[in-house]
Every structure is written in structure tokens, then in C-alpha cells.
Amino acid sequence: MRRPEPVSGIALTHPSPPRWRAMTAADLPCVLAVAAQAHPGYPEDEAVFTERLALSAQGCLCLEETGLEESGRVGGYVVSHPWLLGQVPALNSQLGALPDSADTYYIHDLALLPQLRGSGAANEVVAQLVRLARGAGFASLALAAVNGSAGFWRRHGFRETHDASLDRKLASYDDAARYMVRDLATDEGKPE
């Protein structure tokens, strides 16, 4: 099959793959739109995202689609911050402050629009978060796996940890929510 010839004077270009970048306050309307589409059963107020961004800007990233027609469009996000191992913030709750004695790096939310799932973007940002946590001296990462995501997190070295004291907070997400931890001390040198 013959490839089509480029139109004279017009260079054919392919859209660049999406890229992760720092989240800004101006991104919050797009972040909320992605959240509504990716996690309709887990609604959170804009104030939750605003506070997490203010408390831990380095842990809040947006996946920017860089295609020709939609350049700059947010197609995903991650919100993460230092926290306490064995504790889970309730869904749609503000933290007030980060704990001075934070001993884990907590992934609050990772969401991608359906068309970007399978693109490798989620794997890429998990690797970034592992490097961030290690660089900050944390020995672990933790999260509440929801929406059938436990398998994804297991592939990234997270293991379910059951603690009866977490049951009520996990139930604020849903009955299937699982608290998961990745021990960075035991997987030193493993790929992110």
C-alpha cells in the first residue's frame, strides 16, 4: 500500500505523547472535570484539590495532552503528599495541614481520561512518585485503592494491608476500597 504524499507546503506532524507537568490553580477546573469523568462514584469538592495543591505542590501533577488541536488540555492528574503510615484521609475531606511527623508518601488520587488509559502515562507518574518519595527520605508509599484499581497498584509493588482501625475511613470510599503500601526500603534498586 502506498503512503499518501504530503500536501505541498504542509508538513505532516504527529501529536506528541501526553506529558506530566506541575499542576497550577488554573488547572483545577480541568482537574475537577477529569475527576468527574474518571471517578464519578468518588466526588470531591474543589476545596479538597485546592488545599492539597497548596500543601504539597510538588506532589500535584497534570497530564497534558499535547496534540495539535487540543494542546494544553488536561487529560489526567495525580495528587499526592506526605502523610502518616496506617492512616487514610476520608473521602472529600480537607487535611488542615501536613503532619510534622509524616512517615510515608500518600497517593491521594491518580486519574486519567479513558482515552489515555493504556498509554503508559500512569506507569510513568508512579515512577516519578517513587523517585519523589525516595528523594524526600520516605521508606514507603501508601494509598487507598478504589474503583477496581488494586491490580494496577499490585503491579507497582503495592500490597494490601488490613487494619481494622481503617475500615470506617475506607468505607467513606466504598466497600471494596483497600489500603495498600509499597515498602521502598525492601525494593531498593527495583524499577519504579
Side-chain angles (χ1 to χ4, degrees):
M1 179 175 223
R2 214 175 123 223
R3 289 182 70 161
E5 296 292 323
V7 177
S8 179
I10 299 175
L12 294 179
T13 60
H14 298 283
S16 301
R19 66 178 180 87
W20 289 99
R21 62 163 174 79
M23 183 186 295
T24 68
D27 293 318
L28 291 176
C30 292
V31 167
L32 288 166
V34 171
Q37 189 171 348
H39 301 309
Y42 309 95
E44 291 194 291
D45 296 333
E46 183 174 355
V48 172
F49 291 97
T50 300
E51 183 196 47
R52 297 298 200 285
L53 179 59
L55 292 174
S56 184
Q58 75 280 5
C60 297
L61 305 170
C62 285
L63 183 63
E64 184 176 273
E65 293 185 74
T66 55
L68 296 176
E69 293 177 17
E70 299 179 344
S71 186
R73 180 171 169 247
V74 172
Y77 66 87
V78 67
V79 174
S80 61
H81 53 81
W83 199 239
L84 297 170
L85 190 61
Q87 294 189 19
V88 176
L91 182 66
N92 199 28
S93 66
Q94 293 186 41
L95 305 176
L98 295 177
D100 291 333
S101 57
D103 58 359
T104 193
Y105 199 77
Y106 190 79
I107 303 172
H108 174 75
D109 196 4
L110 169 58
L112 299 177
L113 290 175
Q115 65 268 27
L116 293 172
R117 293 179 191 150
S119 68
N123 296 333
E124 181 184 328
V125 80
V126 170
Q128 283 184 254
L129 295 176
V130 168
R131 288 189 298 273
L132 177 63
R134 282 185 175 141
F138 291 106
S140 64
L141 288 107
L143 55 88
V146 298
N147 213 16
S149 65
F152 169 82
W153 294 112
R154 273 190 220 98
R155 288 190 297 279
H156 287 281
F158 287 79
R159 300 291 169 247
E160 290 181 31
T161 303
H162 181 73
D163 183 340
S165 67
L166 294 176
D167 288 347
R168 190 162 46 148
K169 285 198 177 174
L170 286 171
S172 74
Y173 292 86
D174 65 36
D175 290 341
R178 299 290 179 256
Y179 185 67
M180 301 184 80
V181 176
R182 178 171 170 177
D183 184 347
L184 296 177
T186 60
D187 72 5
E188 193 77 30
K190 288 184 183 178
E192 280 80 353

